[in-house]
Amino acid sequence: MSDTPAVPHPASDPGLSPVQKFLRATEIDTRLLGMLGAMLLIWIGFHLYGAAVNGFGAFLTPRNLWNLSVQTASVGIMACGMVLVIITRHIDLSVGSVLGFTAMIMGIVQVWWLPGILGLGHPLIVVITCIVGLVLGTAIGAFHGWLVAYRGIPAFIVTLGGLLVWRGMAFLVASGVTISPVDTTFALLGGGPRGTIGETGSWIVCALVCIAILWMLSAGRKARKSHGFPLRPVWAEVFLAVLGCGLAIGATLVVNAYPWPVGIVKQYAAEKGIEIPEGGLFISHGFAIPLLILAVVGLAMTILMGRTRFGRYVYAIGGNPDAAELSGINTRWMTVKIFALMGFLTGLSAIVASARTTSATNSLGQLDELYVIAAAVIGGTSLAGGVGTIYGAIIGAFVMQSLKSGMVLIGFDAAIQDIVVGIVLVIAVYVDILYRKRAK
């Protein structure tokens, strides 16, 4: 079969500039390109500022980038759910408080209750705790959705009330006491030297990602050919393959370049009976479990939004709720399911956040709702509804965490951090308004 497309590709238009031809040939989302460019500028800016002030740059180092990925995971997971909520023209201001309440309940279950029943360190403690967190988060989200859909209360009011109620409940259930330490196996879900997959596991993941990239490009080309759609130029396909695999390999090299701390290496060597050589023992962290959880969530949510009826219904409701209802979509039941999914992801985020801090505190997740909303909006999710992507929200979460991490590294106090985050959020919404005006 000929590789010549039945329809000329838009990049073949002779009136386009070289940059326009490149963007059309590769079909790279310009907003995605802009977000990645902004994130790269943030990274370079903080690194150079640190180098100028302190004599060395601490941002673009394996240690900081690894920590950045772990710190982003919790907000990134919730941002994936917030995309759906905002697309359907709602908002959820309660996610930070729900995270705190859910983490507190999980702390009580695994520290106060289950050890007395199953015994300290029993493997079922982690399983039961995670199930409790996910079910509780889903139930709270579904309850919020029911109030919005079937009782007609605006989502802003329902979730604003939830922000106050669940934060108060988090304090009451444990009388404000910090519950720690959590189960040692549960703590692995939050990262740390032992909460990783190591050097070999990271290269295996990298290989699987590269295979998936090549398969998707090949399958996409075959699908276009079978339907008579225009094909990307071969050089554009090769460029995308090299770019995707290059980024995966680069990320793997970075996480594998970050070694375990010396004290933990000595402890590990003593446990395994390993003799430490004179020059020391280098053990790579590799990809952290929280980052892998975020990657799995991002992939699953992308498939859900792009390949299923549920995802099409979400975009239809966001585009025109009245038309969606007239076309036969049960918009009220969909609202309940969307908020339940948001609650499920909040419960998952609570697992990651409490495992990372190895404790459950009343303040856990405080102000996370603002960072989650900001991540979704920065990632291109329109507050007017109908527009948004999962990968955009994840990149938005990395942008937000990069700002926070960078300001901490260079010594900005909390007040300045809040000011910067607020300004960035307003600018992101303004950019979205300008983008939608140009798209009309």
Side-chain angles (χ1 to χ4, degrees):
M1 184 180 292
S2 174
D3 198 40
T4 303
V7 181
H9 195 276
S12 61
D13 186 348
L16 298 176
S17 68
V19 174
Q20 289 175 322
K21 285 184 177 181
F22 173 80
L23 292 175
R24 290 200 181 184
T26 55
E27 298 177 3
I28 296 176
D29 185 352
T30 53
R31 296 193 71 171
L32 170 64
L33 203 59
M35 285 185 289
L36 291 175
M39 185 169 69
L40 187 60
L41 286 175
I42 290 170
W43 289 6
I44 295 173
F46 280 128
H47 188 81
L48 293 179
Y49 183 90
V53 174
N54 303 318
F56 63 94
F59 197 96
L60 292 176
T61 61
R63 175 182 179 181
N64 186 64
L65 294 177
W66 187 91
N67 285 326
L68 178 67
S69 70
V70 175
Q71 294 163 358
T72 303
S74 176
V75 169
I77 291 169
M78 290 190 288
C80 291
M82 189 63 73
V83 170
L84 278 66
V85 174
I86 297 178
I87 283 177
T88 51
R89 306 187 182 189
H90 295 299
I91 200 74
D92 192 340
L93 301 175
S94 67
V95 291
S97 297
V98 173
L99 183 151
F101 174 68
T102 305
M104 191 65 74
I105 294 298
M106 287 192 294
I108 291 173
V109 168
Q110 67 178 306
V111 177
W112 291 358
W113 292 353
L114 291 181
I117 300 173
L118 300 175
L120 191 65
H122 195 283
L124 281 179
I125 290 178
V126 176
V127 176
I128 295 173
T129 299
C130 291
I131 291 174
V132 167
L134 295 175
V135 170
L136 180 60
T138 304
I140 293 173
F143 177 62
H144 289 171
W146 177 78
L147 291 175
V148 173
Y150 290 94
R151 288 296 172 262
I153 307 174
F156 180 88
I157 299 300
V158 170
T159 57
L160 179 60
L163 181 151
L164 300 172
V165 169
W166 301 117
R167 184 61 64 188
M169 290 290 290
F171 182 87
L172 290 177
V173 292
S175 301
V177 175
T178 296
I179 302 175
S180 75
V182 297
D183 183 86
T184 53
T185 305
F186 180 85
L188 298 180
L189 299 174
R194 295 177 187 264
T196 62
I197 59 174
E199 183 177 8
T200 302
S202 296
W203 281 118
I204 292 174
V205 169
C206 176
L208 292 175
V209 169
C210 291
I211 292 171
I213 290 171
L214 296 176
W215 177 83
M216 286 189 295
L217 289 173
S218 175
R221 191 171 184 85
K222 289 180 180 178
R224 289 180 179 218
K225 188 186 297 184
S226 65
H227 290 90
F229 293 158
L231 301 179
R232 279 191 293 251
V234 175
W235 67 263
E237 301 277 12
V238 173
F239 172 81
L240 292 174
V242 171
L243 177 63
C245 293
L247 289 174
I249 293 171
T252 306
L253 289 172
V254 169
V255 296
N256 284 341
Y258 178 35
W260 282 16
V262 175
I264 296 179
V265 169
K266 290 181 179 178
Q267 182 183 2
Y268 177 80
E271 292 174 359
K272 301 295 183 180
I274 301 173
E275 184 177 349
I276 299 178
E278 186 175 343
L281 183 62
F282 186 97
I283 301 178
S284 297
H285 277 76
F287 289 115
I289 291 176
L291 180 63
L292 297 179
I293 293 174
L294 173 59
V296 171
V297 169
L299 178 60
M301 292 294 291
T302 299
I303 294 173
L304 179 70
M305 293 298 289
R307 302 282 183 174
T308 68
R309 182 184 299 176
F310 179 88
R312 291 192 293 272
Y313 283 0
V314 170
Y315 283 113
I317 293 171
N320 192 325
D322 295 332
E325 190 164 4
L326 290 173
S327 67
I329 299 175
N330 189 340
T331 56
R332 291 192 293 179
W333 178 231
M334 279 292 297
T335 299
V336 174
K337 289 193 286 187
I338 289 168
F339 274 90
L341 180 59
M342 179 75 254
F344 174 85
L345 293 177
T346 302
L348 181 59
S349 184
I351 293 172
V352 171
S354 58
R356 185 167 69 87
T357 59
T358 66
S359 64
T361 66
N362 183 56
S363 62
L364 192 65
Q366 201 160 24
L367 295 181
D368 271 9
E369 54 275 346
L370 302 182
Y371 293 110
V372 171
I373 294 170
V377 173
I378 289 172
T381 304
S382 174
L383 292 173
V387 177
T389 60
I390 301 300
Y391 64 81
I394 293 175
I395 294 174
F398 271 99
V399 170
M400 292 300 302
Q401 189 58 50
S402 297
L403 285 171
K404 290 176 60 181
S405 177
M407 287 186 287
V408 169
L409 282 177
I410 63 179
F412 283 5
D413 59 34
I416 296 179
Q417 293 178 38
D418 291 341
I419 291 171
V420 172
V421 170
I423 292 173
V424 169
L425 179 58
V426 173
I427 292 174
V429 174
Y430 179 63
V431 170
D432 174 65
I433 292 172
L434 294 178
Y435 184 84
R436 285 190 288 111
K437 284 181 178 179
R438 289 184 61 186
K440 290 181 179 179

